[in-house]
């Protein structure tokens, strides 16, 4: 687990995460902020949830499972090591614990439970929210060594190097949508279902997302990723890397795309459209005019992150772009989807 001032400040989906038959599967830990809803079953190393988290399926934790008060699980909970259930947790199925069970008052397990170790009933239950607040305070005052010790105690004897899957407070995850009010970050080699709604979205490489992306801020899509839906931002920039395929429309303020990216639908930019080629950057205005603005020898122009690659044009409106390896052509939007780029 990486140490940050707020461990729940973004939706973080680590490398290799998949959705398999309504199960959310990851190699690392699963951390869910308070009052969130996850309509999948969950499979991970440690599964940790804050207050009033609702799970729409079963939980399978390879190591520990910690559910804070008022959490609700619609199916079974299977725990490979120890389980910690806070007050008034509800489990609609059966609870199976290979190690110790630490349980609060008024816990309802409809189909019974089995624990191979000690069973301790106490009140109050240690809350993961308290742990995060305490961790944040330690980092804020510079006590990094104490923060490291806290994480080590929480996840003692861990050898898992995978990053955790984190759903921030008040998040909603389902087959239909992943909705958070924070930034969202998707790792590499993931296969996910649902439309993503977030403050900003950063998608890694070689992913397949069966849904659309919508953000208030910037959206970046890494190489060889396929998005089965629209990519839309209200005020930000969309950047598409080489080998990206968007099976829908792209709408944004500014658009930067590699010549190897493919957009099946219409590309709309209220500001500038910039195509990145090998050693060259080409600005494409909404009126159909194109201009080369840099050579490979010009570091500022060839750098996709450089602001010098796309001079101000004042262009606005809709624009559709069609490119080929032999000849670059620019077509104005006409209501029909342009050829693939």
């Amino acid at each position: 687990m990486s140490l940050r001032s707020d461990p729940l400040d973004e939706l973080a989906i680590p490398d290799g995460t998949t959705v398999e038959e309504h199960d959310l599967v990851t190699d690392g830990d699963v951390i869910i902020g308070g009052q969130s809803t996850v309509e999948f079953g969950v499979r991970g190393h440690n599964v940790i949830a804050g207050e009033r988290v609702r799970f729409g399926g079963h939980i399978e934790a390879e190591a520990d499972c910690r559910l804070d008060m008022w959490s609700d699980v619609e199916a079974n909970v299977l725990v490979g090591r120890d389980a910690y259930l806070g007050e008034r947790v509800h489990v609609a199925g059966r609870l199976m614990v290979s190690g110790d069970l630490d349980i609060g008052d008024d816990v309802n397990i409809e189909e019974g439970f089995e624990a191979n170790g000690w069973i301790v009933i106490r009140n109050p239950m240690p809350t993961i929210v308290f742990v995060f607040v305490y961790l944040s305070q330690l980092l804020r005052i510079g006590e990094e060594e104490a923060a490291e010790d806290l994480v080590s105690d929480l996840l003692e004897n861990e050898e898992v190097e995978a990053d955790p899957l984190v759903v921030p407070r008040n998040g909603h995850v389902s087959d239909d949508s992943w909705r958070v009010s924070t930034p969202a970050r998707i790792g590499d080699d993931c296969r996910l279902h649902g439309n993503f709604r977030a403050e900003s979205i950063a998608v890694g490489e070689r992913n397949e997302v069966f849904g659309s992306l919508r953000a208030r801020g910037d959206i970046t899509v890494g190489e060889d990723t396929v998005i089965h839906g629209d990519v839309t931002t209200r005020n930000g920039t969309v950047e598409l890397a080489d080998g990206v395929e968007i099976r829908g429309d792209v709408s944004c303020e500014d658009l930067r795309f590699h010549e190897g990216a493919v957009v099946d639908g219409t590309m709309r930019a209220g500001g500038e459209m910039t195509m990145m080629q090998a050693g060259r950057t080409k600005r494409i205005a909404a009126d159909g005019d194109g201009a080369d603005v840099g050579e490979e020898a010009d570091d500022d122009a060839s750098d996709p992150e450089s602001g010098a690659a796309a001079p101000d044009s004042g262009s606005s409106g809709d624009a559709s772009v069609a490119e080929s390896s032999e000849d670059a052509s620019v077509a104005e939007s006409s209501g029909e989807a342009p050829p693939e780029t």
Side-chain angles (χ1 to χ4, degrees), residues 107-259:
V107 171
N108 180 10
I109 304 171
E110 293 189 10
E111 297 184 12
F113 68 92
E114 179 180 329
N116 292 332
W118 291 96
I119 299 176
V120 179
I121 301 176
R122 62 172 175 165
N123 186 16
M125 161 71 187
T127 68
I128 196 63
V129 174
F130 170 78
V131 172
F132 283 158
V133 171
Y134 184 39
L135 175 61
S136 299
Q137 292 298 322
L138 289 175
L139 293 173
R140 190 168 291 115
I141 64 177
E143 294 289 342
E144 295 185 4
E145 184 175 349
E148 291 280 2
D149 292 341
L150 175 63
V151 173
S152 297
D153 291 341
L154 180 64
L155 305 176
E156 61 181 343
N157 300 321
E158 297 299 330
E159 298 180 356
V160 176
E161 296 182 356
D163 291 333
L165 188 153
V166 179
V167 177
R169 301 176 183 88
N170 299 306
H172 182 96
V173 176
S174 70
D175 268 335
D176 295 328
S177 65
W178 300 61
R179 298 196 308 269
V180 296
S181 58
T182 64
R185 174 174 52 86
I186 301 173
D188 302 331
D189 303 302
C190 297
R191 182 180 174 87
L192 305 170
H193 295 263
N195 302 305
F196 281 78
R197 305 290 183 261
E199 181 66 28
S200 62
I201 302 174
V203 184
E205 300 178 355
R206 301 176 302 278
N207 295 295
E208 190 162 16
V209 178
F210 294 88
S212 61
L213 308 180
R214 178 175 295 176
R216 294 186 179 91
D218 296 344
I219 299 176
T220 61
V221 183
E223 293 185 0
D224 302 318
T225 287
V226 179
I227 307 295
H228 296 263
D230 298 336
V231 176
T232 306
T233 173
R234 184 181 301 174
N235 300 312
T237 297
V238 169
E239 185 163 342
L240 308 178
D242 188 17
V244 168
E245 184 174 353
I246 307 298
R247 298 181 179 176
D249 298 336
V250 175
S251 180
C252 55
E253 180 63 24
D254 297 320
L255 174 62
R256 297 175 62 84
F257 61 98
H258 193 279
E259 64 177 342

Side-chain angles (χ1 to χ4, degrees), residues 21-24 37-43 47 53-60 65 67 71-78 90-94 173-174:
E21 297 181 356
H22 304 290
D23 284 351
L24 186 57
T37 298
V38 179
E39 295 187 7
F40 296 116
V42 171
R43 281 188 274 162
V47 178
V53 172
R54 176 180 173 273
F55 293 89
H58 60 260
I59 294 176
E60 293 184 28
C65 179
L67 305 179
S71 291
D72 187 280
V73 184
E74 289 191 1
N76 298 325
V77 177
L78 308 178
H90 172 249
V91 177
R94 186 171 178 80
V173 176
S174 70

